[in-house]
């Protein structure tokens, strides 16, 4: 077989196995098979460097450490969410939307991941840039560090061009293991998984980021084309293209249904393998989102219900 064909075949297979293992958490082959194929690809790319491309699964852990992060400007600002802290405030928010629209729209309720908001730009199916939110308009290019996150695909299942917004986070177990190791060698501990994730993605040496077992969930799609008509459809679309999307979201028709979902997670959050600090509620339809618009810093069609601060068990 022609070397270039073998390289393409190995990439497709390794991308599929990586997707099953890191995104679906359902590997179809033993690690030894994955490692065997990866070693074959590394060997071929070493013997034929002209066959190595940035989207190859061998390129997840970048080269030399950077001197600094390059600033990037977000084409579409990464906004923050308005907050509500009680059922009364949630009902008021829903009533304002019903008044503005003249009817009750469908809502999507999702988990609010406690990590670092990031933007991933894909062109023709390839990850071309990863950036922090920064101040919402200007962030930092941390592509090298985000490429080390195994649940972020370097190549989509279709050659689409769009931007994904989501949260890079450190699962609770990775956080505990990291702090145990830091304690063992006398280094200062991270206060919480969010700080640990942010600290890991601020590393100029991507080998350190690669060692921190970070993960990612997408929660937004930014695209010029009318790919889908609602937010819940955008999540299904991203899932279909191999992007990690949390399965814990639901559509709701009333404030009571939204509140039921919130109450579920007030108790359930302790069992999740990652930290959440609330529930995000969005109007599902893009037309309604367009109609409702934005305030100076937040969308009018979305709000975050923040959980009460957990009593710290000393
Ligand atoms: N599910 C979501 O939309 C979501 C989850 N987690 C977060 N930290 C954020 C932040 C914004 Br802004 S949206 C969102």
């Amino acid at each position: 077989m022609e070397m270039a064909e073998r390289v393409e075949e190995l990439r497709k297979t390794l991308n599929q196995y990586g997707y099953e293992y890191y995104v679906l958490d359902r590997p179809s082959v033993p690690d030894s098979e994955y490692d065997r194929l990866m070693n074959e690809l590394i060997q071929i790319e070493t013997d034929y460097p002209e066959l190595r491309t940035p989207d190859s699964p061998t390129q997840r852990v970048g080269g030399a450490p950077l001197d600094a992060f390059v600033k990037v400007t977000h084409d579409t600002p990464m906004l923050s969410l308005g907050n509500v802290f009680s059922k009364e405030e949630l009902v008021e928010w829903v009533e304002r939307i019903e008044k503005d629209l003249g009817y009750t729209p469908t809502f999507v309720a999702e988990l609010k991941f406690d990590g670092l908001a990031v933007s991933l730009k894909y062109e023709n199916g390839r990850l071309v840039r990863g950036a922090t939110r920064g101040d919402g308009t200007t962030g930092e290019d941390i592509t090298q560090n985000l490429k080390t996150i195994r649940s972020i695909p370097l190549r989509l299942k279709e050659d689409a061009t769009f931007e994904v917004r989501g949260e890079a986070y450190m699962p609770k177990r990775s956080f505990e293991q990291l702090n145990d190791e830091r304690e063992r060698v006398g280094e200062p501990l991270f206060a919480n998984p969010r700080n640990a994730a942010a600290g890991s993605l601020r590393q100029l040496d991507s080998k350190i980021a690669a060692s921190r077992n970070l993960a990612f969930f997408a929660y937004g799609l930014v695209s010029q084309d009318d790919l889908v008509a609602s937010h819940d459809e955008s999540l299904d679309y991203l899932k279909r293209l191999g992007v990690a999307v949390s399965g814990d979201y639901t559509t709701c028709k009333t404030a009571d249904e939204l509140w039921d979902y919130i109450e579920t997670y007030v108790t359930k959050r302790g069992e999740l393998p990652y930290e959440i600090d609330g529930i995000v509620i969005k109007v599902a339809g893009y037309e309604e989102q367009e109609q409702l618009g934005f305030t100076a810093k937040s969308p009018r069609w979305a709000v975050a219900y923040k959980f009460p601060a957990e009593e710290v068990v000393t």
Side-chain angles (χ1 to χ4, degrees):
M1 170 186 292
E2 228 283 293
M3 269 309 155
E5 278 172 40
R6 180 60 182 154
V7 160
E8 198 45 42
E9 184 182 48
L10 283 168
R11 285 207 187 125
K12 276 204 175 61
T13 307
L14 286 164
N15 284 340
Q16 179 56 26
Y17 289 170
Y19 171 71
E20 291 163 354
Y21 189 96
Y22 292 106
V23 176
L24 300 182
D25 197 13
R26 221 179 33 241
S28 64
V29 296
D31 297 6
S32 55
E33 173 64 4
Y34 181 89
D35 296 344
R36 187 180 68 77
L37 295 175
M38 178 64 87
N39 289 332
E40 183 185 346
L41 181 55
I42 291 169
Q43 189 54 56
I44 296 175
E45 290 182 354
T46 307
D47 299 346
Y48 304 87
E50 70 280 8
L51 292 177
R52 186 179 305 142
T53 58
D55 69 306
S56 172
T58 63
Q59 300 306 298
R60 275 199 179 273
V61 185
L66 301 173
D67 295 328
F69 291 119
V70 171
K71 294 284 182 208
V72 299
T73 304
H74 297 295
D75 311 335
T76 307
M78 290 181 73
L79 298 174
S80 54
L81 293 172
N83 294 324
V84 292
F85 298 91
S86 69
K87 181 174 184 178
E88 291 67 31
E89 289 178 14
L90 176 66
V91 169
E92 276 168 27
W93 180 78
V94 169
E95 286 171 350
R96 201 173 319 129
I97 284 178
E98 289 167 334
K99 183 168 161 292
D100 289 355
L101 293 177
Y103 59 91
T104 308
T106 301
F107 298 97
V108 183
E110 304 168 52
L111 304 184
K112 188 171 182 302
F113 309 107
D114 199 4
L116 194 76
V118 296
S119 150
L120 302 172
K121 283 188 99 167
Y122 287 91
E123 281 171 8
N124 302 318
R126 289 168 175 79
L127 178 64
V128 295
R129 193 193 78 187
T132 63
R133 175 183 179 279
D135 63 9
T137 303
T138 306
E140 291 180 319
D141 186 322
I142 55 167
T143 307
Q144 274 208 24
N145 285 340
L146 289 174
K147 283 176 75 169
T148 70
I149 300 181
R150 292 322 194 264
S151 51
I152 291 180
L154 302 183
R155 181 82 186 271
L156 299 171
K157 291 180 182 292
E158 287 171 24
D159 287 352
T161 295
F162 52 61
E163 183 186 346
V164 177
R165 302 283 170 81
E167 199 85 357
Y169 66 92
M170 185 179 289
K172 291 174 182 171
R173 263 186 54 68
S174 309
F175 172 69
E176 284 144 22
Q177 286 166 349
L178 174 63
N179 265 355
D180 288 351
E181 175 56 20
R182 288 172 77 94
E183 189 162 22
R184 201 177 62 76
V185 299
E187 285 174 351
L189 306 187
F190 284 105
N192 53 54
R194 176 171 39 77
N195 289 5
S200 304
L201 289 171
R202 257 201 305 274
Q203 293 293 326
L204 291 165
D205 179 357
S206 64
K207 288 180 186 54
I208 298 176
S211 72
R212 296 289 175 82
N213 302 311
L214 297 172
F216 171 80
F217 276 130
Y219 50 64
L221 169 66
V222 179
S223 160
Q224 310 317 327
D225 326 321
D226 294 341
L227 298 167
V228 287
S230 69
H231 174 63
D232 40 316
E233 286 170 61
S234 77
L235 295 178
D236 295 338
Y237 173 69
L238 288 171
K239 232 188 276 185
R240 186 155 55 78
L241 265 61
V243 178
V245 175
S246 164
D248 291 321
Y249 65 90
T250 186
T251 53
C252 297
K253 285 298 289 173
T254 66
D256 283 344
E257 283 176 28
L258 289 168
W259 188 251
D260 287 349
Y261 189 77
I262 287 170
E263 284 198 315
T264 314
Y265 278 97
V266 169
T267 44
K268 210 171 158 188
R269 71 193 280 209
E271 300 152 28
L272 292 171
Y274 41 80
E275 292 207 341
I276 61 172
D277 61 346
I279 298 293
V280 176
I281 293 137
K282 300 170 186 169
V283 170
Y286 284 163
E287 272 180 25
E288 284 94 339
Q289 291 184 7
E290 184 97 16
Q291 202 177 317
L292 292 163
F294 300 84
T295 66
K297 60 183 177 49
S298 301
R300 284 201 179 85
W301 43 265
V303 77
Y305 169 79
K306 300 284 285 203
F307 292 136
E310 277 182 312
E311 298 78 47
V312 179
V313 180
T314 48

